[in-house]
Amino acid sequence: MEYGETPKPYPGSSTPTLPEPPRYPQGLPPPGHDDPEPVLDPPRSRESFFKRRVAPIGAAILALLAKLKSVLLLLPKIKVLTTAGTMAVSIAAYTTIWGFWFAMGFVVLLLVHEMGHVIELRRAGIRASAPMFIPFLGAVVASKSLGENALAEARVGLAGPVLGTIGSAACLVIWQVTGHDYWRALGYTGFFLNLFNLLPVVPLDGGRAMAAMSPWMWFLGFAGIVALAIIFPNPIILIIALFAAYETYRRWQQRRHGDAVTEAYYRVSPRNRLIIGVVYLGLVALLVIGMDATHLPRTLG
């Protein structure tokens, strides 16, 4: 059958069967069929391109900058980041000597001790910074003052060893429960650390307690620091001895040639002087007992 003929029905069927359409080479239209004009997309303006592509990217960048700005404004207020950062540095430094786990425990005990100072300062209405740690020198708390008089200074000074003694005693309890010598060694170190801080010389905590008790004890404490520097020479003891020499001289000269304000600062009632003395000597006794209870005797191999 030629192209264009009328199809004939198959026998037994009343419906004509359409012939298969002719095949043409791919891409060529049938004869007499004109090529249709291509349909082109309407031109896209720069404005539409900006709305679809550039605007979302710009909005995302602005949102990110807004969040970064909020974080940057918040960072100075998050004092815990400063504490955590300096703690991490100190742990890394002490790890080189004692290993990670003991270094971490030691720094936590330092934190407990310093938080005693922070709590007492804030209880007295004095703004105090979060503790900042200095590798191999301990930690410090910054404040505008230590109180309006020597009694307040003594309370701030003793608050650190009081809370530090509690923290060390907690290690002693955990050691008794678990029997693990890690807690025994950590408790012993904590007791020693707080006892050392009670040496009666500024800038140590014991020297601040002496401001309300007997300032002349500063000279006895300074003599003790010098003796330690001679018996156990090391850079840390030497640095403390230098600070102690300067502070002892400055404060004693201030008391000798001070005005009425200085005299009022060091004026403490006998009752309060007795209370500070009892707390001080009681802490010394407890710390010595704690060291004795956690002392690990050296065995000969």
Side-chain angles (χ1 to χ4, degrees):
M1 181 178 64
E2 300 294 335
Y3 178 77
E5 289 184 358
T6 303
K8 297 179 181 179
Y10 288 102
S13 175
S14 60
T15 304
T17 303
L18 296 177
E20 184 180 356
R23 300 180 182 275
Y24 295 96
Q26 187 175 3
L28 295 178
H33 189 279
D34 296 331
D35 294 339
E37 294 184 1
V39 180
L40 301 178
D41 292 337
R44 298 174 179 175
S45 63
R46 292 183 178 179
E47 181 180 358
S48 63
F49 177 78
F50 177 82
K51 289 181 179 179
R52 291 185 303 102
R53 298 291 180 86
V54 179
I57 297 175
I61 293 175
L62 289 177
L64 180 61
L65 290 176
K67 291 182 179 180
L68 288 176
K69 179 181 178 181
S70 301
V71 172
L72 291 175
L73 291 175
L74 186 62
L75 282 178
K77 300 178 182 180
I78 306 178
K79 297 180 181 179
V80 69
L81 294 180
T82 301
T83 300
T86 53
M87 280 184 70
V89 173
S90 291
I91 290 173
Y94 293 124
T95 297
T96 61
I97 304 175
W98 301 317
F100 173 76
W101 290 110
F102 194 85
M104 186 173 66
F106 179 73
V107 172
V108 169
L109 287 179
L110 283 177
L111 176 64
V112 171
H113 176 102
E114 293 300 322
M115 286 306 299
H117 299 313
V118 174
I119 292 171
E120 179 59 29
L121 284 168
R122 294 181 178 178
R123 192 191 69 83
I126 302 172
R127 295 186 61 180
S129 70
M132 295 182 61
F133 292 81
I134 305 172
F136 307 113
L137 288 178
V140 295
V141 173
S143 64
K144 291 184 177 180
S145 70
L146 295 176
E148 58 184 9
N149 51 45
L151 178 60
E153 179 182 352
R155 288 171 176 167
V156 172
L158 291 176
V162 167
L163 198 58
T165 301
I166 295 174
S168 302
C171 295
L172 179 60
V173 172
I174 297 174
W175 168 56
Q176 291 292 334
V177 172
T178 63
H180 202 295
D181 281 339
Y182 167 83
W183 298 103
R184 181 180 188 175
L186 198 60
Y188 178 86
T189 305
F191 288 130
F192 173 78
L193 170 70
N194 287 278
L195 183 62
F196 177 81
N197 267 279
L198 285 176
L199 284 174
V201 61
V202 283
L204 299 180
D205 298 330
R208 304 201 181 282
M210 291 304 111
M213 289 176 58
S214 301
W216 64 267
M217 288 289 292
W218 289 333
F219 294 100
L220 181 61
F222 177 68
I225 287 290
V226 172
L228 285 176
I230 295 174
I231 299 172
F232 306 104
N234 66 77
I236 298 176
I237 296 294
L238 292 176
I239 291 174
I240 294 176
L242 291 175
F243 274 105
Y246 171 76
E247 280 293 315
T248 302
Y249 175 79
R250 183 185 68 83
R251 289 204 173 207
W252 192 255
Q253 289 295 108
Q254 188 181 47
R255 279 182 56 82
R256 287 184 58 191
H257 307 289
D259 52 13
V261 176
T262 303
E263 293 179 3
Y265 182 87
Y266 287 99
R267 189 178 299 123
V268 180
S269 67
R271 175 179 175 274
N272 289 328
R273 198 184 304 274
L274 177 63
I275 292 174
I276 295 297
V278 170
V279 173
Y280 178 84
L281 295 176
L283 277 174
V284 171
L286 287 174
L287 291 168
V288 170
I289 293 172
M291 288 184 64
D292 180 68
T294 54
H295 177 65
L296 185 63
R298 182 178 298 178
T299 58
L300 298 177

